[in-house]
Amino acid sequence: MNELPLEIPERVCHIAIVAGEFNHFITQQLVDGALDALNRNGVPESNITLAWVPGAFELPLAANAFASGGRHDAVIALGAVIRGGTPHFDYVAGECSRGLAQVGLTHNLPVIFGVLTTDNIDQALERAGSGAGNKGFDTAIAALQMIGLLDRIHAE
Ligand code: INI
């Protein structure tokens, strides 16, 4: 059996980050977490492009623009959708996740889902660095791992 490891690649990567301005006090922390993880794993700042969009609903379009440009090895999408008792939550979160998955499959590129979908602000803050880790950091690691895996699969 040839088992492919899930590892961060040795090569230098180019990463695009798309982030939602909506709930900026949370998404900025996700961006900071992602940048920290990329920095710790040898991705130079000059190889990272960060684009802000109005909200999570717009993340797939921006991710698609980066993916179709062909200059990045992965796109990290960061956002915070907080329920707040309106059906808007389901539309925004649903279209966002569906759209991001579609971009990744269409372009055969890691498009990483770093969008918090929580019932309230406290849960979101917890996942943005105040308690249960930082989802932005975790998604950046996932992006690098997926780049490494695709490199290995393509080399098979
Ligand atoms: N966008 C978010 O990123 N998070 C939310 O919680 C949210 N809520 O609750 O409405 C939200 N709405 C804006 C949406 O993403 C679009 O930017 C807007 O509808 C314009 O298309």
Side-chain angles (χ1 to χ4, degrees):
M1 186 183 69
N2 185 21
E3 183 173 346
L4 303 178
L6 192 54
E7 283 175 353
I8 289 170
E10 300 281 326
R11 74 177 172 91
V12 178
C13 299
H14 291 78
I15 305 287
I17 301 175
V18 290
E21 275 280 350
F22 206 102
N23 294 321
H24 182 267
F25 65 107
I26 291 164
T27 57
Q28 181 65 62
Q29 294 193 50
L30 298 177
V31 168
D32 291 345
L35 293 175
D36 183 28
L38 295 174
N39 176 259
R40 286 169 190 260
N41 286 281
V43 180
E45 220 172 286
S46 55
N47 286 15
I48 303 169
T49 306
L50 168 64
W52 290 94
V53 299
F57 190 81
E58 285 74 35
L59 289 172
L61 181 60
N64 195 59
F66 279 119
S68 55
R71 292 195 310 278
H72 296 89
D73 300 300
V75 182
I76 298 169
L78 303 173
V81 191
I82 298 173
R83 188 173 288 280
T86 82
H88 208 59
F89 173 93
D90 296 302
Y91 292 115
V92 172
E95 287 308 305
C96 173
S97 63
R98 188 195 58 77
L100 290 172
Q102 187 187 320
V103 173
L105 295 176
T106 300
H107 296 281
N108 212 12
L109 192 81
V111 174
I112 306 297
F113 188 71
V115 180
L116 300 177
T117 56
T118 62
D119 287 332
N120 55 55
I121 289 173
D122 283 348
Q123 288 174 354
L125 285 171
E126 226 175 88
R127 291 158 178 77
S130 82
N134 183 310
K135 175 109 174 155
F137 188 100
D138 298 344
T139 52
I141 299 297
L144 296 174
Q145 289 175 328
M146 285 305 295
I147 293 168
L149 179 64
L150 289 186
D151 282 355
R152 286 177 187 274
I153 291 173
H154 292 145
E156 277 286 291

